[in-house]
Amino acid sequence: MKLVPFPIVTAVIILIWKDVLFGAMIAAALWWLTIPAIILSIVFFFMGLHRRDNWEHAAVILGIANLLLFIIFLLVQLPKQHCDADTMGKHYEKYHTEMEELHCYVKASVADSCGVMLEFSGNKIESFRVHGPLDDKYFGGRKKDVLQLKDSLMTVVGLTDEEFDGIHQRLKSMDCIGIRYSQTTPESISIMFRYVEFVLYSYNIYSRPMTDEEKHTAMKYPEFIPYNEYCTFEFEGGAIGPQSWGDEKDDYLNQHQPW
C-alpha cells in the first residue's frame, strides 16, 4: 500500500507535462485522489529513508524518480508554457537565419499556386491542410485523419517524402511547430512557434522589406507586433481568453523600435 501513491503522482506529472491546462484540470477534478496521493508519497518517501524493508526501499526509489521527473518538467517543459514578445525576439535573433532558409525551402518545394498548413506535435503530425491551384479554401485533416490523407495531400501540393521530412526537421531544429505558406503570396511565410493554453504564437517572415501598407497593418492591429522590416510576431487567441497582445504591444514597442 505504501507504493500506491507514487504512480498516481507520476501520472499527474505526465498529464501536466503533456498539457498544463488539461493536466491541472484533471488533477483539480480528482483532488480527493491527487492531494492525498501527493501527501502520502512525501510521507512514505521520508519514512522509507530508514530502509527497514524492501517496500520502503522501493518507495525511496519511486520518490526520487518522481522528484527528478518534476525537476525536468520545471527546467525543460515549463518554460515552453510561457511566451511573450521578449521571448519571441530572443528566439528570432537565435534562429532568424534558419527561418529564412526554411522559407526558401518551402517555397522551392510547394507547387505553383498551391498552399500548405502543416503542424507537428513532437514527431507526430497534428494538422495537415492544403489548397490546390484551383482551390480557394484549405482542406485536409487533423491527428489520426492525417495518416490516411497524408499521401494524397502531399500529391496536391507537390511535396515529396523527403521534402515533407525536410520541413519537419527544420522546424524541430529551431524549436518551432508548424508553417503556413501559399504560393499566392510567396514573399511571406508564417512559422508557428508555440501554443500556450489556447493561444498560438507565430512569426510572419518576409523575404523582402515589408511594404508601407504591411508596416501600417502590423502597427495598427493589436494581434501583431512588428520586430523589424522582415518579421512580425502574431498572437492568435483561442475560443476563450485574450485575443490580442493588449498593452504588451505598446510596452514592447516603447522599448524596441522596429524601424
Side-chain angles (χ1 to χ4, degrees):
M1 292 297 294
K2 291 180 179 179
L3 302 183
V4 172
F6 294 96
I8 296 175
V9 174
T10 302
V12 170
I13 295 174
I14 292 174
L15 281 173
I16 294 176
W17 185 305
K18 289 183 172 295
D19 190 312
V20 171
L21 181 61
F22 176 75
M25 290 174 60
I26 294 297
L30 300 176
W31 64 268
W32 51 269
L33 178 64
T34 56
I35 293 178
I38 292 171
I39 294 173
L40 289 174
S41 65
I42 294 173
V43 171
F44 291 152
F45 171 78
F46 284 104
M47 289 177 59
L49 293 176
H50 298 290
R51 300 185 181 181
R52 289 173 296 200
D53 56 45
N54 290 335
W55 297 111
E56 291 188 339
H57 181 70
V60 171
I61 293 175
L62 292 174
I64 292 174
N66 279 342
L67 180 61
L68 290 175
L69 186 63
F70 185 66
I71 291 173
I72 294 172
F73 165 76
L74 292 178
L75 295 177
V76 177
Q77 193 66 13
L78 190 59
K80 295 182 179 180
Q81 302 300 323
H82 168 77
C83 193
D84 56 23
D86 285 326
T87 300
M88 295 192 71
K90 292 174 182 177
H91 196 81
Y92 174 79
E93 287 299 327
K94 184 176 181 180
Y95 292 107
H96 67 91
T97 300
E98 289 84 350
M99 292 181 184
E100 294 163 6
E101 291 174 351
L102 174 62
H103 187 183
C104 293
Y105 186 82
V106 173
K107 182 178 180 179
S109 301
V110 175
D112 291 345
S113 302
C114 295
V116 59
M117 298 171 62
L118 185 57
E119 182 183 336
F120 296 92
S121 177
N123 290 321
K124 296 181 180 179
I125 308 171
E126 187 73 15
S127 177
F128 188 13
R129 300 180 183 276
V130 302
H131 77 73
L134 301 179
D135 304 309
D136 58 356
K137 294 183 179 180
Y138 284 86
F139 61 91
R142 292 183 58 83
K143 298 186 177 180
K144 292 182 179 180
D145 294 338
V146 173
L147 298 178
Q148 300 176 348
L149 299 171
K150 179 184 173 185
D151 290 341
S152 60
L153 294 175
M154 288 171 57
T155 300
V156 171
V157 293
L159 284 177
T160 65
D161 288 328
E162 180 181 0
E163 290 168 339
F164 186 92
D165 292 339
I167 293 172
H168 186 199
Q169 293 306 315
R170 284 167 170 77
L171 285 168
K172 287 182 65 176
S173 70
M174 66 179 79
D175 201 19
C176 291
I177 62 173
I179 59 164
R180 283 175 297 200
Y181 173 81
S182 177
Q183 291 287 23
T184 58
T185 54
E187 68 280 355
S188 66
I189 186 173
S190 177
I191 300 178
M192 304 174 198
F193 178 37
R194 68 174 52 154
Y195 282 99
V196 177
E197 297 181 354
F198 298 104
V199 177
L200 173 61
Y201 294 87
S202 302
Y203 296 97
N204 294 312
I205 305 296
Y206 294 82
S207 59
R208 43 80 179 150
M210 285 189 283
T211 64
D212 290 340
E213 182 179 355
E214 289 166 342
K215 290 180 180 179
H216 175 73
T217 297
M219 293 295 291
K220 178 181 178 181
Y221 291 98
E223 63 267 32
F224 299 108
I225 293 180
Y227 184 75
N228 59 28
E229 291 190 310
Y230 297 90
C231 175
T232 65
F233 308 152
E234 185 171 359
F235 183 110
E236 299 178 64
I240 59 176
Q243 300 298 308
S244 70
W245 290 101
D247 293 338
E248 184 178 352
K249 177 173 182 174
D250 291 335
D251 293 341
Y252 187 76
L253 291 179
N254 286 334
Q255 301 174 31
H256 176 87
Q257 294 300 314
W259 38 71

